[in-house]
Amino acid sequence: MTSSKNKKDLQLETFRAADEGKPMTTNEGLKLSEDEFSLKAGDRGPTLMEDFHFREKMTHFDHERIPERVVHARGFGAHGEFQVYESMKAYTKAKFLQDPSVKTPVFVRFSTVAGSRGSADTVRDVRGFAVKFYTEEGNYDLVGNNIPVFFIQNAIKFPDLVHSFKPEPHNEIPQAQTAHDTFWDFVVNNQETAHMIMWHMSDRAIPRSYRMMEGFGVHTFRFVNDEGKAHFVKFHWKPKLGVHSLVWDEAQKIAGKDPDFHRRDLYEAIEMGNYPEWELGVQLIKEEDEFAFDFDILDPTKIWPEEDIPVKIIGKLTLNRNVDNVFAETEQAAFHVGNVVPGIDFTNDPLLQGRLFSYTDTQLIRLGGPNFHELPINRPICPFHNNQRDGYGRQTINVGQVSYHRNGLANNTPSVSSPQEGGYEHYQEKVEGRKVRSRSKSFEDHFSQAILFWNSMSEPEKQHIIQAFSFELGKVKSKAVKQQAVDMFANVSPMMAAAVANAIGAIPPQKTEEPKAAKISPALSQLNKPMLPDTRKAGVIIGNQFNGADVSTVLRELQAAGVQTVLISEKAGKVTGTDGTILEATETFLTTDSVLYDAVYAAGGQGISPAFEKEGSAFIMEAFKHFKTIGGTHEGTVFLEKANILNQPGVVSGSDMKQFAGDFIKAVAADRHWSRQPV
Ligand code: HDE
């Protein structure tokens, strides 16, 4: 494994095969003379059993599929590197967090949770954000999500939760959606879900790009330093590009127009050299302050508000290399919350404790046995030695006579290491208690932080939450479930619950008094995150006889600001400007769609046909409806005039090209223009 971007280095790895230009052989290495016809008794006769080549090829094909992940089946990964900004020695002895000059190779897999492997990227769902650090002390996996809390508090409920959101078993409908009866039945009967549901109904569940999502370790972990002193820690990934989302109508349309929208976005960004970056942040709480908060810091349905416990930014993750083979790398990647290094330890969060069992267990069936750690993507970069042997698919040829610990014949090696030599030592937390199956009293408050989340949202974000509830519950058939949901979320905001009740035909809640907004956390609103134009995609509507000099100036300015442009015209190919400038249109209205862009620039052209003009208007109006930046110059301005949107927020026009480009770029950075009025 290497973090290098140099393909030459990669070819040195024995497990990476470049087949191009090589003679074809069987898997046994026999050169083949024919690969199109099976061996038959006569030209028109039956195929012969003797045809070992046919049998090998077909058998391999017949066994090409492995079970998809039971959750997080749909995902996409990339390689990169992580670098710490300053030594974290005071808090943890983890080696990869000590030296700012060290680059640790990483592999990251993003995913949706509910859908099958072939489902669409832009569904309303939580996103997985799993990071494997290949450190010199072994692999460390930070297996997180883009939402900082979870639906349930105890792992034993996980199969129930998952069964409720998967397609219903009697008809296997719906795919990759929570908008159905069983999920909401689970929610109303498990009120600990309240906080997570608020996030799930928010814009966080329909991200614009994997590159524009936060990531969270969710659980409380422990950092332990070399003196054995521990801190509770929560992990955050903060995207350099800010946190951005789609709007729901757009997300649903993209699911049809380009089901691969998120994986394409990540793949293309890396191919173009726009390497996505996230900063790693940690929130730290001293061991002695474990009980200093009005929530239990081990409860995975609670955040630690950033305003109370600041996020200390400690390093940077960069993704800079696409995989060579999605199956071999992304699909075979096996993450495990229990893959830790000295200096990182667990807490008694009952959700985390259950995950420590589940991940290895699931790999055993998915990857077909206990040797999945030998797959190239899962191998540590440091040597590994122990007395484990054999099993399906074993690759390592362990030499020697001895395969047991406490031996004399090999001088009792492989030997264990003391903590000073790098041996992992579990944090010696004192525990005592009765064996019970119960919820801790300190885990009983399900609504305070759901209220905190709601109160921290901006007005447009609140409206989106109401619309999301109305959509999801609107799809629920059971009137009882709908009503229970309205009553449950009246505990968060009676106003919100009443608006939802109104939309879905339920009775408004009896409760009318809004809970007191004791606190808000500005860090929870996406509108308070960085706003940049970088790597946003603008569709440029252009026709023959466009103003060559002016349009070229605009395109240059956009490019310089990092805004990507895609030219859309009547036909794919060359478009000619008034001054002879020739540009290349790569898309037509047949091959692309308004929902696939962050912004539209109507550059126009004197040669635009009435049919093209009609389609261009529809394209622009769709962008307008989705609150996107729209710009027009020259004949393009006519589109905006005709649509009567010229004076609306985020609609830019002008005759000074530099000024226009500057305004357009600013509007793209501001992202969506929520104060726009319908026309
Ligand atoms: Fe997972 N989860 N999970 N999960 N999870 C899996 O492991 C599980 C939870 C997360 O890209 C499975 O290899 C239990 C929280 C990600 O390969 C499985 C519980 C968080 C991924 C599993 C949880 C996650 C998984 C399925 C409740 C955020 C995809 C396939 C106790 C902190 C990793 C697999 C990838 C995958 C179990 C809850 C994140 C079945 C039992 C909370 C990102 O082992």
Side-chain angles (χ1 to χ4, degrees):
M1 192 58 52
T2 165
S3 69
S4 166
K5 283 159 265 165
N6 186 337
K7 296 265 172 184
K8 255 204 210 133
D9 289 351
L10 299 176
Q11 274 157 18
L12 296 178
E13 297 167 328
T14 51
F15 46 74
R16 209 171 289 265
D19 301 321
E20 200 178 311
K22 307 279 164 46
M24 183 189 283
T25 69
T26 63
N27 288 333
E28 309 299 322
L30 177 70
K31 278 192 188 157
L32 291 166
S33 58
E34 166 56 54
D35 188 42
E36 283 179 76
F37 300 104
S38 58
L39 186 70
K40 292 177 298 177
D43 267 354
R44 302 178 64 244
T47 299
L48 299 175
M49 268 284 267
E50 185 185 323
D51 191 349
F52 57 82
H53 169 45
F54 169 78
R55 276 189 283 115
E56 182 197 87
K57 183 174 175 183
M58 194 55 78
T59 304
H60 196 279
F61 169 75
D62 291 343
H63 295 255
E64 271 177 12
R65 291 291 170 275
I66 61 170
E68 62 176 34
R69 287 165 175 80
V70 59
V71 281
H72 297 265
R74 169 111 185 137
F76 201 65
H79 296 271
E81 59 198 27
F82 174 79
Q83 242 176 320
V84 74
Y85 288 147
E86 55 181 286
S87 171
M88 292 300 289
K89 191 174 187 314
Y91 303 102
T92 174
K93 60 183 171 188
K95 270 211 174 133
F96 80 105
L97 297 177
Q98 307 297 317
D99 182 352
S101 70
V102 170
K103 287 183 183 173
T104 302
V106 297
F107 180 72
V108 178
R109 183 176 180 272
F110 300 106
S111 49
T112 55
V113 180
S116 297
R117 193 175 158 205
S119 57
D121 280 347
T122 57
V123 297
R124 177 175 296 281
D125 201 351
V126 182
R127 298 302 186 284
F129 192 136
V131 184
K132 194 180 279 294
F133 298 81
Y134 301 92
T135 88
E136 58 179 277
E137 296 179 295
N139 290 348
Y140 167 53
D141 291 355
L142 181 51
V143 196
N145 279 343
N146 76 328
I147 290 181
V149 287
F150 203 62
F151 295 99
I152 48 171
Q153 294 170 320
N154 192 301
I156 201 170
K157 278 194 187 186
F158 191 64
D160 303 299
L161 164 72
V162 175
H163 289 174
S164 83
F165 66 60
K166 282 281 182 183
E168 296 185 9
H170 61 300
N171 56 9
E172 221 181 47
I173 297 174
Q175 177 58 242
Q177 285 175 53
T178 49
H180 59 115
D181 285 51
T182 53
F183 175 69
W184 286 95
D185 187 32
F186 181 87
V187 168
V188 299
N189 283 293
N190 294 274
Q191 306 231 333
E192 71 209 66
T193 54
H195 187 195
M196 176 77 167
I197 292 297
M198 293 304 296
W199 286 79
H200 184 53
M201 292 301 104
S202 80
D203 295 341
R204 301 281 182 145
I206 39 172
R208 156 66 180 83
S209 159
Y210 290 140
R211 302 176 294 126
M212 299 168 197
M213 305 187 313
E214 289 184 310
F216 304 92
V218 175
H219 308 284
T220 299
F221 292 90
R222 270 195 175 89
F223 265 170
V224 186
N225 68 15
D226 50 15
E227 285 153 22
K229 189 167 167 42
H231 280 81
F232 294 105
V233 59
K234 272 203 195 280
F235 294 104
H236 295 244
W237 291 112
K238 303 242 180 213
K240 280 284 189 84
L241 295 173
V243 181
H244 301 280
S245 291
L246 301 169
V247 298
W248 182 226
D249 178 63
E250 180 191 19
Q252 291 176 85
K253 287 174 177 162
I254 296 174
K257 293 279 180 186
D258 185 7
D260 304 308
F261 187 71
H262 284 151
R263 62 169 59 179
R264 190 189 306 284
D265 169 272
L266 182 65
Y267 181 83
E268 285 181 352
I270 294 174
E271 287 299 294
M272 289 164 84
N274 291 328
Y275 300 141
E277 292 177 342
W278 288 261
E279 288 191 303
L280 179 64
V282 290
Q283 288 177 294
L284 295 160
I285 291 180
K286 289 186 185 144
E287 282 276 311
E288 51 271 32
D289 292 339
E290 181 170 0
F291 302 106
F293 300 89
D294 59 1
F295 54 87
D296 192 324
I297 65 164
L298 300 191
D299 179 352
T301 65
K302 303 290 185 296
I303 56 162
W304 299 356
E306 291 183 31
E307 292 74 15
D308 302 339
I309 303 141
V311 178
K312 182 178 167 63
I313 299 297
I314 67 166
K316 191 173 77 177
L317 162 72
T318 309
L319 295 182
N320 56 21
R321 178 160 63 88
N322 278 312
V323 299
D324 284 323
N325 185 288
V326 174
F327 179 84
E329 302 178 75
T330 312
E331 192 59 12
Q332 293 199 120
F335 292 91
H336 175 30
V337 207
N339 288 347
V340 285
V341 289
I344 299 183
D345 211 315
F346 313 111
T347 62
N348 297 330
D349 167 355
L351 196 71
L352 171 60
Q353 295 277 318
R355 289 181 78 200
L356 289 173
F357 164 74
S358 180
Y359 287 70
T360 313
D361 187 43
T362 204
Q363 308 310 347
L364 291 175
I365 177 117
R366 195 172 71 81
L367 298 170
N371 288 318
F372 56 83
H373 63 282
E374 292 188 325
L375 294 166
I377 192 69
N378 298 324
R379 277 174 181 264
I381 52 168
C382 60
F384 53 102
H385 303 282
N386 56 45
N387 293 309
Q388 294 165 31
R389 294 290 185 273
D390 309 347
Y392 282 111
R394 183 69 173 182
Q395 316 244 332
T396 309
I397 301 174
N398 299 96
V399 295
Q401 178 187 15
V402 173
S403 56
Y404 50 91
H405 189 56
R406 278 247 161 258
N407 65 66
L409 293 178
N411 210 13
N412 205 19
T413 58
S415 54
V416 295
S417 309
S418 69
Q420 291 70 33
E421 294 164 328
Y424 188 86
E425 188 185 38
H426 290 263
Y427 179 68
Q428 294 192 6
E429 181 183 6
K430 185 166 184 288
V431 285
E432 59 182 353
R434 290 177 184 278
K435 291 183 194 169
V436 289
R437 288 184 184 273
S438 62
R439 190 192 316 266
S440 165
K441 282 229 162 315
S442 57
F443 277 42
E444 278 177 0
D445 165 20
H446 303 323
F447 290 99
S448 299
Q449 288 207 351
I451 296 169
L452 172 74
F453 183 77
W454 172 253
N455 287 333
S456 305
M457 292 294 102
S458 63
E459 206 40 51
E461 287 169 312
K462 283 186 173 173
Q463 286 311 316
H464 298 165
I465 291 173
I466 291 174
Q467 285 158 9
F469 268 115
S470 305
F471 177 92
E472 294 261 320
L473 290 166
K475 296 270 182 186
V476 169
K477 303 238 164 26
S478 161
K479 285 192 171 161
V481 170
K482 285 180 172 185
Q483 192 60 51
Q484 289 168 75
V486 166
D487 296 341
M488 173 173 169
F489 286 94
N491 292 314
V492 178
S493 161
M495 185 283 284
M496 173 186 80
V500 175
N502 184 37
I504 64 169
I507 302 164
Q510 300 208 316
K511 224 185 211 169
T512 50
E513 202 183 320
E514 291 293 316
K516 279 199 196 74
K519 260 204 312 205
I520 65 157
S521 169
L524 298 179
S525 168
Q526 289 183 207
L527 299 192
N528 297 329
K529 313 274 177 192
M531 295 281 181
L532 299 165
D534 302 50
T535 76
R536 305 315 289 269
K537 218 177 190 177
V540 180
I541 301 178
I542 192 163
N544 279 323
Q545 290 169 274
F546 63 90
N547 187 309
D550 283 2
V551 172
S552 301
T553 304
V554 174
L555 296 182
R556 254 197 321 273
E557 295 285 317
L558 299 190
Q559 210 169 13
V563 177
Q564 291 166 28
T565 50
V566 176
L567 269 51
I568 308 162
S569 194
E570 207 149 8
K571 292 184 289 190
K574 292 189 169 59
V575 204
T576 313
T578 41
D579 60 351
T581 306
I582 292 182
L583 295 174
E584 182 87 8
T586 51
E587 302 286 348
T588 66
F589 290 133
L590 200 64
T591 58
T592 196
D593 197 277
S594 181
V595 292
L596 305 176
Y597 299 90
D598 296 299
V600 190
Y601 163 41
Q606 292 163 20
I608 282 183
S609 73
F612 187 67
E613 196 178 304
K614 209 167 140 197
E615 285 181 290
S617 300
F619 192 97
I620 287 170
M621 286 319 289
E622 181 88 339
F624 181 81
K625 187 172 130 191
H626 296 144
F627 307 94
K628 295 172 181 174
T629 297
I630 297 167
T633 61
H634 309 96
E635 301 80 24
T637 318
V638 180
F639 286 105
L640 317 187
E641 272 164 15
K642 275 196 186 156
N644 199 19
I645 57 173
L646 261 181
N647 296 322
Q648 294 263 9
V651 180
V652 187
S653 67
S655 49
D656 176 333
M657 290 305 114
K658 289 229 165 174
Q659 171 80 35
F660 166 79
D663 293 347
F664 187 80
I665 291 161
K666 247 189 247 151
V668 170
D671 202 4
R672 307 294 168 113
H673 305 279
W674 302 120
S675 56
R676 200 171 268 177
Q677 299 302 313
V679 285

